[in-house]
Coordinates of all heavy atoms in Angstrom, one line a residue:
E10 N 14.1 11.8 9.7 CA 13.6 12.0 8.3 C 13.9 10.8 7.4 O 13.1 10.4 6.6 CB 14.3 13.3 7.7 CG 13.8 14.6 8.2 CD 12.2 14.7 8.0 OE1 11.7 14.3 7.0 OE2 11.6 15.2 9.0
E11 N 15.1 10.2 7.7 CA 15.4 9.0 6.9 C 14.5 7.8 7.3 O 14.0 7.1 6.4 CB 16.9 8.6 7.2 CG 17.4 7.4 6.5 CD 18.8 7.0 6.9 OE1 19.5 7.8 7.5 OE2 19.2 5.8 6.6
Q12 N 14.3 7.7 8.5 CA 13.4 6.6 9.0 C 12.0 6.8 8.5 O 11.3 5.9 8.1 CB 13.5 6.5 10.5 CG 12.7 5.4 11.1 CD 13.2 4.0 10.8 OE1 14.4 3.9 10.4 NE2 12.4 3.0 10.8
L13 N 11.5 8.1 8.6 CA 10.2 8.5 8.2 C 9.9 8.2 6.7 O 8.9 7.7 6.3 CB 9.9 9.9 8.5 CG 8.5 10.4 8.2 CD1 7.4 9.6 9.0 CD2 8.3 11.9 8.6
E14 N 10.9 8.5 5.9 CA 10.8 8.3 4.5 C 10.7 6.8 4.2 O 9.9 6.3 3.3 CB 12.0 8.9 3.7 CG 12.0 8.7 2.2 CD 10.8 9.4 1.6 OE1 10.3 10.4 2.1 OE2 10.3 8.8 0.5
K15 N 11.5 6.0 4.9 CA 11.5 4.5 4.7 C 10.1 4.0 5.1 O 9.5 3.1 4.4 CB 12.6 3.9 5.6 CG 12.6 2.4 5.5 CD 13.8 1.9 6.3 CE 13.8 0.3 6.3 NZ 12.7 -0.3 7.0
E16 N 9.5 4.5 6.2 CA 8.2 4.0 6.7 C 7.1 4.4 5.7 O 6.2 3.7 5.5 CB 7.9 4.5 8.1 CG 8.9 4.0 9.2 CD 8.7 2.5 9.4 OE1 7.7 1.9 8.9 OE2 9.6 1.9 10.0
R17 N 7.2 5.6 5.2 CA 6.2 6.1 4.2 C 6.3 5.3 3.0 O 5.2 4.9 2.4 CB 6.5 7.6 3.9 CG 6.1 8.5 4.9 CD 6.5 9.9 4.6 NE 6.0 10.9 5.6 CZ 6.5 12.2 5.6 NH1 7.4 12.6 4.8 NH2 6.0 13.0 6.5
Q18 N 7.5 4.9 2.5 CA 7.6 4.1 1.3 C 7.0 2.7 1.5 O 6.3 2.2 0.7 CB 9.1 3.9 0.9 CG 9.3 3.2 -0.4 CD 10.7 3.2 -0.8 OE1 11.6 3.9 -0.3 NE2 11.0 2.3 -1.8
E19 N 7.2 2.1 2.7 CA 6.7 0.8 3.0 C 5.2 0.8 3.1 O 4.5 -0.1 2.7 CB 7.3 0.3 4.3 CG 8.8 -0.1 4.1 CD 9.4 -0.6 5.4 OE1 8.7 -0.4 6.5 OE2 10.6 -1.1 5.4
A20 N 4.7 2.0 3.7 CA 3.2 2.1 3.8 C 2.6 2.3 2.5 O 1.5 1.8 2.2 CB 2.9 3.3 4.7
Q21 N 3.3 3.0 1.6 CA 2.7 3.2 0.2 C 2.7 1.9 -0.6 O 1.7 1.6 -1.3 CB 3.6 4.2 -0.5 CG 3.1 4.6 -1.9 CD 1.7 5.2 -1.9 OE1 1.3 5.9 -0.9 NE2 1.0 5.1 -3.0
E22 N 3.7 1.1 -0.4 CA 3.7 -0.2 -1.1 C 2.6 -1.1 -0.6 O 2.0 -1.8 -1.3 CB 5.1 -0.9 -0.9 CG 6.2 -0.2 -1.6 CD 7.6 -0.8 -1.2 OE1 7.6 -1.7 -0.4 OE2 8.6 -0.4 -1.8
A23 N 2.4 -1.1 0.8 CA 1.4 -1.9 1.4 C 0.0 -1.4 0.9 O -0.9 -2.2 0.7 CB 1.5 -1.8 2.9
L24 N -0.2 -0.1 0.8 CA -1.4 0.5 0.3 C -1.7 0.0 -1.1 O -2.9 -0.3 -1.5 CB -1.4 2.0 0.4 CG -2.6 2.7 -0.1 CD1 -3.9 2.3 0.7 CD2 -2.4 4.3 -0.1
L25 N -0.7 0.1 -2.0 CA -0.9 -0.4 -3.4 C -1.3 -1.8 -3.5 O -2.2 -2.2 -4.3 CB 0.4 -0.1 -4.2 CG 0.8 1.3 -4.4 CD1 2.1 1.4 -5.1 CD2 -0.3 2.0 -5.3
Q26 N -0.7 -2.7 -2.6 CA -1.1 -4.1 -2.6 C -2.5 -4.3 -2.1 O -3.2 -5.1 -2.7 CB -0.1 -4.8 -1.7 CG 1.3 -5.0 -2.2 CD 2.2 -5.8 -1.3 OE1 1.9 -6.0 -0.1 NE2 3.4 -6.1 -1.8
K27 N -2.9 -3.5 -1.1 CA -4.2 -3.5 -0.6 C -5.2 -3.1 -1.7 O -6.3 -3.7 -1.9 CB -4.4 -2.6 0.6 CG -5.8 -2.4 1.1 CD -5.9 -1.4 2.2 CE -7.3 -1.0 2.5 NZ -8.0 -0.4 1.4
E28 N -4.9 -2.0 -2.4 CA -5.8 -1.5 -3.4 C -6.0 -2.5 -4.6 O -7.0 -2.7 -5.1 CB -5.3 -0.2 -3.9 CG -5.5 1.0 -2.9 CD -4.9 2.3 -3.3 OE1 -4.1 2.3 -4.3 OE2 -5.3 3.3 -2.7
A29 N -4.8 -3.1 -4.9 CA -4.9 -4.1 -6.0 C -5.7 -5.3 -5.6 O -6.6 -5.8 -6.4 CB -3.5 -4.6 -6.3
A30 N -5.6 -5.8 -4.4 CA -6.4 -6.9 -3.9 C -7.8 -6.5 -3.8 O -8.7 -7.3 -4.1 CB -5.9 -7.4 -2.5
D31 N -8.1 -5.3 -3.3 CA -9.5 -4.8 -3.2 C -10.1 -4.7 -4.6 O -11.3 -5.1 -4.8 CB -9.5 -3.5 -2.5 CG -10.9 -3.0 -2.2 OD1 -11.7 -3.7 -1.6 OD2 -11.3 -1.9 -2.7
S32 N -9.4 -4.2 -5.6 CA -9.9 -4.1 -6.9 C -10.3 -5.5 -7.5 O -11.4 -5.7 -8.1 CB -8.9 -3.4 -7.8 OG -9.4 -3.4 -9.2
A33 N -9.4 -6.4 -7.3 CA -9.6 -7.8 -7.8 C -10.8 -8.4 -7.1 O -11.6 -9.1 -7.7 CB -8.4 -8.7 -7.6
F34 N -10.9 -8.2 -5.8 CA -12.1 -8.7 -5.0 C -13.4 -8.1 -5.5 O -14.4 -8.9 -5.7 CB -11.9 -8.4 -3.6 CG -12.9 -9.0 -2.7 CD1 -12.8 -10.4 -2.3 CD2 -13.9 -8.3 -2.2 CE1 -13.7 -10.9 -1.5 CE2 -14.9 -8.8 -1.3 CZ -14.8 -10.2 -1.0
Q35 N -13.4 -6.8 -5.8 CA -14.6 -6.2 -6.3 C -15.1 -6.7 -7.7 O -16.2 -6.9 -7.9 CB -14.5 -4.7 -6.4 CG -14.2 -4.0 -5.0 CD -15.4 -4.3 -4.0 OE1 -16.5 -4.4 -4.4 NE2 -15.0 -4.5 -2.8
K36 N -14.1 -7.0 -8.5 CA -14.4 -7.5 -9.9 C -14.9 -8.9 -9.7 O -15.8 -9.3 -10.5 CB -13.1 -7.5 -10.7 CG -12.7 -6.1 -11.2 CD -11.4 -6.2 -12.0 CE -10.9 -4.8 -12.4 NZ -9.6 -4.8 -13.1
L37 N -14.3 -9.7 -8.8 CA -14.8 -11.1 -8.6 C -16.2 -11.1 -8.0 O -17.0 -11.9 -8.4 CB -13.8 -11.8 -7.7 CG -14.1 -13.3 -7.5 CD1 -14.0 -14.0 -8.8 CD2 -13.1 -13.8 -6.5
E38 N -16.5 -10.1 -7.2 CA -17.8 -10.0 -6.6 C -18.9 -9.7 -7.7 O -20.0 -10.2 -7.7 CB -17.9 -8.9 -5.5 CG -17.2 -9.3 -4.2 CD -18.2 -10.1 -3.3 OE1 -18.7 -11.1 -3.8 OE2 -18.3 -9.7 -2.2

C-alpha cells in the first residue's frame, strides 16, 4: 500500500506535467 501510494503520486505528477505540456502545445498550434 505504501509503495502503491508512492507510485500513484508519481504517476499523477507525471500526468499533470503531460497535460500542462499538451495544453501549451495546443495553444501554440
Side-chain angles (χ1 to χ4, degrees):
E10 287 304 321
E11 180 184 342
Q12 184 68 20
L13 183 57
E14 182 60 29
K15 179 176 178 295
E16 295 294 347
R17 282 173 176 167
Q18 184 175 348
E19 291 177 350
Q21 183 62 27
E22 290 175 357
L24 178 61
L25 290 175
Q26 289 181 350
K27 170 188 170 297
E28 290 176 344
D31 186 55
S32 176
F34 186 78
Q35 296 303 324
K36 290 177 181 177
L37 187 59
E38 285 278 52

